[in-house]
Amino acid sequence: MDTEHTEQTAEFELPRSRTANERLHALIPGGAHTYAKGDDQYPLDLAPVISHGRGAHVWDVDGNRYVEYGSGLRSVSLGHAHPRVVEAVRREIDRGSNFVRPSVVELEAAERFLATVPTAEMVKFAKNGSDATTAAVRLARAATGRPRVAICADHPFFSVDDWFIGTTPMSAGIPAETNELTVTFPYGDLTATEELLNRYEGEVACLILEPAAHTEPPPGYLAGLRELAHRHGCVLVFDEMITGFRWSEAGAQGLYGVVPDLSTFGKALGNGFAVSALAGRRELMERGGLRHSGERVFLLSTTHGAETHSLAAAMAVQTVYAEEGVTDRLHALGERLAAGVREATAGMGVEEHVVVRGRASNLVFATLDGNGRPSQEYRTLFLRRLLAGGVLAPSFVVSSALSDEDIEHTVEVVAQACAVYRKALDAGDPTPWLGGRPVKPVFRRLA
């Protein structure tokens, strides 16, 4: 197949990727190191195994080129192999990446982060988001002396650790006693949250949520949640893994002007390099330090948490965002894509079934059946047609590397996919267009 965008047929096949996926499953549980990247998330035998990427494009081992969305599960917001980030990383790797004492790069990275997120007073870096959110929970429990954690039930993921995974269908191996310590509250509903806090009066250590997701926070909600948390003696934690940088350089807290006690960042912070951050009020954060008289909290202490090249990547990302207006560009690109997709779906009469949602910088799509219900079968059909057209899009989350031509091509492919979608709706059965079993949800009890 030509490496340029080409029209592909329904017989689109990936023989080398299929072989590589079999080898992956033989050696790696699940065939990938992240469940959301598993081949069960894609149509049967159409899960590309990636060879390399540059900018907004990736190539698979079969030689096909794709416009890629949701790059690195939203982590690669500047595009793959961004030259300024790569150069910063290369410069530090040549100077050594890990030492027996802190590198001066740790100081520089902390200063830069706190200048970017001025609502925080201290920061500690780690390698992944789960470590940061779990550290926030541990810190909140230590500070309050309370056992329970209240998570937002409307947000899909907070951590790989027991306090969260125990609430999902994949709770095997987690004691029931652990699960009982995590309770949930609905997004946007202060009354229901207060009822929860009253029910567990004096037991809830923290409220943790994404400050915004596919919908904007209701007016006054975040400020009201902060007041509610403090009135009940809870720590308010914003999970800014996704909203960080995509909403504003300082995250949702910078955009909406509501300061949490603690917040966690990751994903876009490193443009694909492994770096995350826990940030927050000095009074709380210092409990994990040495300059206090209280009981010590094992906050974050990881061998690779401050690798110099990852911190250099984070500083380069922040520089690029500030100097090139990346957040504004992400919103502009997303708005253009959303408008094009909505026009395409309307043109094919499926606008009520293929629905684009979310903030322009963080678009997702829903695939609904003839009765308006979410459908894995129709998602499979849609993904299959996107792949055949050279678009790899588990979501429509944009990177700043996308060109106008990339978006035009994507909209054209979406229109082609919607034509098939319309046929399936008219037939009342998408099965003939699936090519095999439907894609599956990430969180499920059985394989």
Side-chain angles (χ1 to χ4, degrees), residues 250-272:
Q253 60 194 279
L255 179 65
Y256 301 124
V258 176
V259 182
D261 299 304
L262 298 171
S263 55
T264 59
F265 288 76
K267 293 193 182 289
L269 179 60
N271 200 53

Side-chain angles (χ1 to χ4, degrees), residues 124-153:
K124 197 156 191 184
F125 296 110
K127 303 306 286 181
N128 61 71
S130 292
D131 284 351
T133 53
T134 292
V137 167
R138 185 183 304 118
L139 191 57
R141 282 171 162 163
T144 62
R146 299 174 176 181
R148 295 189 187 275
V149 177
I151 65 173
C152 182

Side-chain angles (χ1 to χ4, degrees), residues 173-194:
I174 300 171
E177 295 82 3
T178 298
N179 298 342
E180 291 168 2
L181 293 178
T182 300
V183 295
T184 63
F185 62 93
Y187 186 79
D189 190 335
L190 292 175
T191 300
T193 305
E194 184 158 29

Side-chain angles (χ1 to χ4, degrees), residues 290-312:
L290 299 175
R291 296 185 174 182
H292 66 98
S293 58
E295 188 175 2
R296 295 183 67 192
V297 178
F298 194 93
L299 188 57
L300 279 168
S301 181
T302 57
T303 299
H304 303 291
E307 282 177 329
T308 57
H309 57 272
S310 291
L311 296 183

Side-chain angles (χ1 to χ4, degrees), residues 275-297:
V275 59
S276 63
L278 168 66
R281 291 195 290 115
R282 182 177 302 277
E283 176 190 354
L284 281 171
M285 293 288 289
E286 191 60 80
R287 286 174 174 264
L290 299 175
R291 296 185 174 182
H292 66 98
S293 58
E295 188 175 2
R296 295 183 67 192
V297 178

Side-chain angles (χ1 to χ4, degrees), residues 56 68-71 74-79 82 242-249 267-269 271 317 320-322 324-338 358-363 396-403 407:
E68 186 194 41
Y69 292 89
S71 314
R74 296 179 172 86
S75 67
V76 185
S77 61
L78 300 178
H82 189 280
I242 293 173
T243 53
F245 295 92
R246 286 193 177 273
W247 264 241
S248 80
E249 292 170 30
K267 293 193 182 289
L269 179 60
N271 200 53
V317 166
V320 172
Y321 263 79
E324 299 183 10
V326 172
T327 303
D328 287 343
R329 176 167 173 77
L330 292 174
H331 283 91
L333 288 167
E335 287 168 1
R336 180 172 179 183
L337 176 63
R359 192 172 183 85
S361 60
N362 189 55
L363 295 172
F396 282 143
V397 176
V398 297
S399 76
S400 66
L402 286 163
S403 66
I407 291 179

Side-chain angles (χ1 to χ4, degrees), residues 13-268:
E13 296 180 347
L14 301 175
R16 292 181 180 175
S17 290
R18 185 168 62 250
T19 299
N21 275 313
E22 287 300 317
R23 292 169 60 195
L24 283 164
H25 277 283
L27 301 173
I28 302 166
H33 285 89
T34 312
Y35 284 119
K37 297 182 182 182
D39 59 1
D40 60 338
Q41 302 301 294
Y42 293 85
L44 184 65
D45 294 332
L46 291 186
V49 174
I50 305 303
S51 165
H52 63 287
R54 184 165 298 278
H57 302 118
V58 295
W59 287 257
D60 66 24
V61 294
D62 291 279
N64 302 309
R65 186 182 83 158
Y66 305 86
V67 181
E68 186 194 41
Y69 292 89
S71 314
L73 305 182
R74 296 179 172 86
S75 67
V76 185
S77 61
L78 300 178
H80 299 291
H82 189 280
R84 294 179 71 175
V85 177
V86 169
E87 176 55 31
V89 169
R90 183 179 292 118
R91 185 168 57 247
E92 287 305 327
I93 285 179
D94 286 342
R95 292 161 52 87
S97 62
N98 210 334
F99 313 105
V100 76
R101 279 282 295 149
S103 163
V104 67
V105 176
E106 296 180 44
L107 172 60
E108 295 167 353
E111 289 174 338
R112 181 56 191 269
F113 181 90
L114 294 173
T116 302
V117 187
T119 43
E121 296 174 317
M122 298 187 82
V123 63
K124 197 156 191 184
F125 296 110
K127 303 306 286 181
N128 61 71
S130 292
D131 284 351
T133 53
T134 292
V137 167
R138 185 183 304 118
L139 191 57
R141 282 171 162 163
T144 62
R146 299 174 176 181
R148 295 189 187 275
V149 177
I151 65 173
C152 182
D154 299 305
H155 298 156
F157 188 80
F158 290 104
S159 175
V160 301
D161 293 303
D162 289 2
W163 62 270
F164 171 72
I165 290 297
T167 69
T168 76
M170 294 177 71
S171 60
I174 300 171
E177 295 82 3
T178 298
N179 298 342
E180 291 168 2
L181 293 178
T182 300
V183 295
T184 63
F185 62 93
Y187 186 79
D189 190 335
L190 292 175
T191 300
T193 305
E194 184 158 29
E195 290 174 355
L196 177 75
L197 293 173
N198 287 331
R199 186 181 320 136
Y200 297 105
E201 183 64 43
E203 296 182 35
V204 176
C206 64
L207 303 175
I208 182 168
L209 73 160
E210 296 179 48
H214 302 320
T215 59
E216 288 292 291
Y221 171 65
L222 294 177
L225 195 66
R226 180 180 59 187
E227 189 278 329
L228 186 62
H230 290 177
R231 178 154 45 87
H232 283 265
C234 301
V235 175
L236 180 62
V237 183
F238 281 178
D239 179 339
E240 297 248 32
M241 294 295 160
I242 293 173
T243 53
F245 295 92
R246 286 193 177 273
W247 264 241
S248 80
E249 292 170 30
Q253 60 194 279
L255 179 65
Y256 301 124
V258 176
V259 182
D261 299 304
L262 298 171
S263 55
T264 59
F265 288 76
K267 293 193 182 289

